[in-house]
Amino acid sequence: MAETLMFNALREATDEEMARDNTVFVLGEDVGHYGGSYKVTKGLYEKYGEFRVLDTPIAENSFSGLAVGAAMTGLRPIIEGMNMGFLLLAFNQIANNAGMLRYTSGGNFKIPMVIRGPGGVGRQLGAEHSQRLEAYFHAVPGLKIVACSTAYNAKGLLKAAIRDENPVLFFEHVLLYNLKDDLPEEEYILPLDKAEVVRKGKDVTVLTYSRMRHHCTQAAKNLEKQGYDPEIIDLISLKPFDMETIRESVKKTHRVIIVEECMKTGGIGAELVALVSEQLFDELDAPVVRLSSQDIPTPYNGKLEALTIVQPQQIVEAIHKVVDSQI
Amino acid sequence: MVAERTVPKFDRSSIKITKEEGLMLYEDMVLGRLFEDKCAEMYYRGRMFGFVHLYNGQEAVSTGVIRALRRDEDFVSSTYRDHVHALSAGVPAREVMAELFGKATGCSKGRGGSMHMFSAEHNLLGGYAFVAEGIPVAMGAAFQSKYRREALKDNNADQVTTCFFGDGASNNGQFFECLNMSALWKLPIIYVVENNKWAIGMAHDRATSQPEIYKKASVFDMEGYEVDGMDVLAVRDVAQKAIARARAGEGPTLIEALTYRFRGHSLADPDELRSEKEKEFWASKDPIKKLAKDLTNMGLVVSEELKAIEEKVQAIVNDAVEFAENSPEPDPDELRRYVFAED
């Protein structure tokens, strides 16, 4: 076991996959000489050279299209979004070409590529650098969407994403790069489509992902002392959802709270509520509760920013309310 | 009508072409023309749907460039006006027609339609319907060749990618971004701008501050050429040189082919903005008639041989329609197939 920070876990995953398969390459802004804005690709340029760790000009739509073309012709690109928000500038290539081209081509081409980088609300980065694109991209067919949340799952999931034959949007969180885990010495790979039961419980199912997982576990520490027993599930796969794991949990708890960092309207939780009500309505003893970010551009001011996203105390209160509600 | 540009002089004495090559070029162009004429007929008879953009008039560009490539080894990327590029790249007329009919036997299995012809077998990277979006994808294929050669030390990786688009795309950022990256990394790619003067109803001269698109290569320190896009031998000559340079690792080329579409933007376009005078001017430069005349004047062919080709091609096109008509619709049970690689 070796204690590893999340950004190093992601670097190890990339390094191991590049060593294993010489068609894997990284491209993006400042991934080479600079080593990546969060140091996920540090040292890889020196090891693999300028073609396999390709510093691109600041041209998101075009370098994303380059990756699609390279994937169609047999390479396995990993795009690093310096900030995932910048990929709004690549929306067309990600949606029309990465997402839909395999289908539109009638199966002529496959697009094995990973688009990864930091998303989420950081510390006073302003609206443009605080995006949660997982919600914006959720409707695009053909994309897999994954959010890692610990150093351990970051490594295992990224390796799986690189080996996947489909385009995978892989969300890291800007505030989680320094989380630590003891990682196994031996190689491990985690499935992209499986949710992680973070805390087993019987009172309520808390569905969450990315940084909010840690808000939920923090809230759970208080709740335990108060005699509550929530089950916390880290979705990991935002598309498709692991409905099997969710179903098993809801059958046990009959109550659901969704805690997300994306905005409420058109968010990940909105789709989850719909699926839970379509598939698990008879299991529910209370309406599903959503705790989401405010439907506003993320403000710069620290206090306003904190009010924009969900805080652990709100999770505690919501669980009180839902669990205490009578059938 | 804006004054027509003077096409660059092409030294016809330098032409080296055999009879077989001449007939191959002629057949390819006639196939493009007769195929598209049949499409118009089938569209108006309600056999195909959606937006259908025909290539009539521009055949010298597709044939001149694509038939100078190594078929099934080099790559071709196209736009929404992609039927004829697909044919030149070697996709059988049957598969292109069946795709237009939305049939399971189409090259995109009936999922793509007129604007989305794809063929992995023939290295057709696709018809890209949004203007300029195919440019970065084509650059990716060229990057792949360079990657295999440089990073993986594969000396056989000398494939060239050709990327077709129109004058309208040349004002889009992806065009400039990709010229920059391709020149920067010396990628084996040839950008072919088919300047047909009109982006639907937007006259090229009203959309750009510098109408001579080939000149835009120079600021990226890249080779740029203009060529008479109605003269297949001139197009072939400039394409062969660009292909040789790309294959030798000497980098990309921008070719601006001055051409014209003989029909509206699509079969839904009333085509009200282009003057009769302009259309007549370009009709007089019909590239198929020009090649017929050239081959005859060079003493390579006699008119009977050309006529025989036209009859042969018409039979291919008729057969393609029959094949498409008799092909099955896609299986409704396979509606969701091809979304993911495992499907």
Side-chain angles (χ1 to χ4, degrees):
Chain A
M1 303 291 269
E3 190 174 77
T4 308
L5 297 163
M6 191 201 275
F7 74 90
N8 273 327
L10 292 162
R11 190 184 50 74
E12 284 177 13
T14 308
D15 188 7
E16 286 173 20
E17 292 305 303
M18 289 182 76
R20 176 180 173 269
D21 180 348
N22 63 15
T23 64
V24 176
F25 73 104
V26 182
L27 73 162
E29 291 148 1
D30 272 331
V31 295
H33 287 201
Y34 193 78
S37 52
Y38 294 87
K39 301 300 168 200
V40 171
T41 54
K42 191 173 167 55
L44 298 182
Y45 178 91
E46 291 74 10
K47 186 167 176 183
Y48 295 105
E50 60 182 341
F51 282 95
R52 298 195 63 196
V53 186
L54 183 71
D55 277 321
T56 65
I58 304 164
E60 288 84 2
N61 205 29
S62 291
F63 74 62
S64 299
L66 182 156
V68 171
M72 288 169 72
T73 51
L75 301 184
R76 304 183 80 86
I78 305 168
I79 291 176
E80 175 174 293
M82 179 182 257
N83 176 296
M84 286 301 253
F86 300 164
L87 297 182
L88 284 174
L89 289 156
F91 206 116
N92 180 68
Q93 288 295 346
I94 295 170
N96 269 346
N97 293 332
M100 304 202 314
L101 189 145
R102 176 170 175 76
Y103 188 90
T104 306
S105 77
N108 265 290
F109 293 97
K110 60 180 180 173
I111 325 279
M113 66 188 275
V114 177
I115 301 173
R116 53 149 289 270
V121 177
R123 288 207 209 294
Q124 295 189 260
L125 302 178
E128 294 192 21
H129 285 71
S130 306
Q131 314 241 17
R132 286 116 311 157
L133 293 193
E134 63 273 18
Y136 290 17
F137 282 110
H138 209 236
V140 178
L143 298 177
K144 295 185 177 181
I145 306 180
V146 172
C148 64
S149 51
T150 66
Y152 176 79
N153 69 27
K155 184 174 179 184
L157 290 168
L158 183 55
K159 285 171 70 83
I162 294 167
R163 293 186 195 187
D164 201 274
E165 297 293 339
N166 299 285
V168 179
L169 290 187
F170 190 93
F171 287 92
E172 297 149 17
H173 195 289
V174 67
L175 294 181
L176 299 185
Y177 282 117
N178 289 324
L179 287 187
K180 274 184 244 178
D181 272 326
D182 282 329
L183 301 190
E185 299 289 346
E186 63 277 11
E187 181 174 61
Y188 67 98
I189 293 182
L190 297 173
L192 293 182
D193 57 354
K194 287 277 171 283
E196 189 181 326
V197 181
V198 179
R199 182 189 188 281
K200 280 201 169 296
K202 58 177 177 16
D203 291 344
V204 56
T205 298
V206 181
L207 301 175
T208 188
Y209 67 92
S210 190
R211 182 176 177 232
M212 284 296 136
R213 162 189 177 143
H214 302 287
H215 277 26
C216 291
T217 51
Q218 201 182 318
K221 284 188 186 125
N222 284 335
L223 288 158
E224 281 168 16
K225 292 174 199 152
Q226 299 160 1
Y228 292 87
D229 185 20
E231 177 145 304
I232 299 171
I233 294 177
D234 184 339
L235 296 164
I236 303 289
S237 177
L238 305 183
K239 191 178 185 184
F241 294 123
D242 176 6
M243 288 308 290
E244 204 44 55
T245 300
I246 294 170
R247 181 178 294 111
E248 287 309 308
S249 180
V250 176
K251 276 183 173 172
K252 186 169 60 178
T253 65
H254 308 292
R255 289 173 165 79
V256 177
I257 293 179
I258 297 163
V259 184
E260 61 185 357
E261 195 175 291
C262 62
M263 288 178 275
K264 193 165 208 169
T265 303
I268 298 299
E271 184 61 25
L272 262 178
V273 169
L275 284 173
V276 167
S277 80
E278 277 177 353
Q279 299 181 17
L280 301 168
F281 186 80
D282 291 342
E283 298 289 345
L284 293 175
D285 287 345
V288 177
V289 171
R290 266 188 298 165
L291 300 180
S292 319
S293 287
Q294 299 292 314
D295 279 320
I296 57 173
T298 309
Y300 162 70
N301 176 279
K303 286 183 183 134
L304 295 182
E305 184 184 68
L307 289 169
T308 303
I309 61 174
V310 177
Q311 301 300 334
Q313 187 53 31
Q314 290 169 268
I315 302 169
V316 170
E317 288 161 15
I319 289 177
H320 284 170
K321 204 170 159 190
V322 168
V323 174
D324 295 347
S325 69
Q326 296 303 308
I327 298 170
Chain B
M1 184 174 116
V2 178
E4 300 294 348
R5 278 164 62 179
T6 310
V7 294
K9 199 158 170 51
F10 173 50
D11 177 11
R12 307 195 85 73
S13 67
S14 70
I15 299 172
K16 288 190 207 88
I17 187 169
T18 64
K19 173 173 181 158
E20 287 68 32
E21 285 168 334
L23 291 176
M24 176 270 288
L25 297 176
Y26 190 75
E27 181 172 330
D28 200 65
M29 289 170 74
V30 171
L31 176 60
R33 178 70 57 88
L34 297 184
F35 187 93
E36 296 290 65
D37 285 345
K38 184 60 82 177
C39 286
E41 184 191 331
M42 291 294 126
Y43 178 85
Y44 291 123
R45 281 172 52 188
R47 307 302 300 170
M48 60 180 71
F49 307 91
F51 295 125
V52 177
H53 311 81
L54 301 185
Y55 196 71
N56 298 51
Q58 302 182 204
E59 296 88 350
V61 186
S62 179
T63 301
V65 175
I66 297 175
R67 296 312 297 263
L69 295 172
R70 290 183 194 154
R71 186 173 267 192
D72 301 345
E73 284 184 35
D74 293 327
F75 294 95
V76 176
S77 163
S78 181
T79 66
Y80 49 81
R81 201 180 303 285
D82 58 353
H83 312 169
V84 177
H85 295 138
L87 294 170
S88 291
V91 184
R94 282 181 161 198
E95 290 185 25
V96 181
M97 192 63 83
E99 187 59 35
L100 286 156
F101 277 56
K103 297 298 183 72
T105 53
C107 58
S108 305
K109 306 285 195 293
R111 268 71 164 181
S114 170
M115 300 184 278
H116 300 292
M117 299 291 170
F118 288 88
S119 174
E121 183 186 351
H122 299 290
N123 282 358
L124 175 66
L125 297 169
Y128 292 87
F130 281 13
V131 169
E133 68 168 349
I135 301 175
V137 179
M139 179 173 69
F143 175 81
Q144 169 266 160
S145 301
K146 179 90 173 179
Y147 181 100
R148 288 189 198 280
R149 195 141 127 174
E150 302 283 338
L152 307 187
K153 309 292 176 206
D154 176 359
N155 290 328
N156 295 321
D158 64 348
Q159 304 94 337
V160 172
T161 299
T162 52
C163 174
F164 291 84
F165 49 95
D167 45 281
S170 74
N171 297 311
N172 185 284
Q174 291 170 102
F175 170 64
F176 298 107
E177 291 176 1
C178 291
L179 289 191
N180 175 48
M181 283 187 256
S182 303
L184 179 68
W185 297 325
K186 282 195 180 324
L187 300 183
I189 187 164
I190 297 159
Y191 296 108
V192 184
V193 189
E194 303 194 53
N195 181 356
N196 65 19
K197 301 184 66 181
W198 291 86
I200 307 188
M202 185 63 162
H204 180 55
D205 295 19
R206 292 181 59 223
T208 186
S209 59
Q210 170 50 278
E212 294 179 89
I213 300 166
Y214 76 98
K215 289 184 175 172
K216 296 178 188 188
S218 67
V219 298
F220 297 97
D221 198 18
M222 176 175 160
E223 299 283 330
Y225 300 96
E226 63 177 339
V227 64
D228 180 356
M230 308 304 270
D231 180 349
V232 69
L233 298 178
V235 174
R236 183 174 166 87
D237 181 64
V238 74
Q240 282 173 328
K241 288 171 183 155
I243 292 164
R245 284 174 13 82
R247 230 186 274 293
E250 291 166 24
T253 303
L254 173 66
I255 297 173
E256 179 186 10
L258 302 173
T259 186
Y260 202 69
R261 52 173 159 77
F262 289 170
R263 293 176 178 270
H265 165 71
S266 74
L267 288 172
D269 173 18
D271 194 18
E272 293 164 341
L273 291 170
R274 304 188 303 169
S275 71
E276 286 309 314
K277 197 175 155 207
E278 180 179 288
K279 291 182 203 176
E280 282 163 21
F281 171 83
W282 286 93
S284 73
K285 293 160 68 81
D286 188 316
I288 297 178
K289 288 181 185 157
K290 181 171 177 59
L291 179 63
K293 198 168 145 198
D294 277 345
L295 295 178
T296 310
N297 287 349
M298 284 187 266
L300 290 174
V301 299
V302 293
S303 62
E304 287 74 20
E305 290 171 299
L306 299 179
K307 184 130 186 53
I309 283 179
E310 287 155 27
E311 284 167 8
K312 174 184 161 192
V313 168
Q314 190 62 60
I316 290 171
V317 171
N318 293 345
D319 167 74
V321 169
E322 198 182 319
F323 174 79
E325 291 267 18
N326 295 329
S327 286
E329 298 273 343
D331 182 350
D333 290 341
E334 293 196 342
L335 174 66
R336 298 172 62 84
R337 191 172 173 198
Y338 305 126
V339 175
F340 292 106
E342 295 75 17
D343 303 335

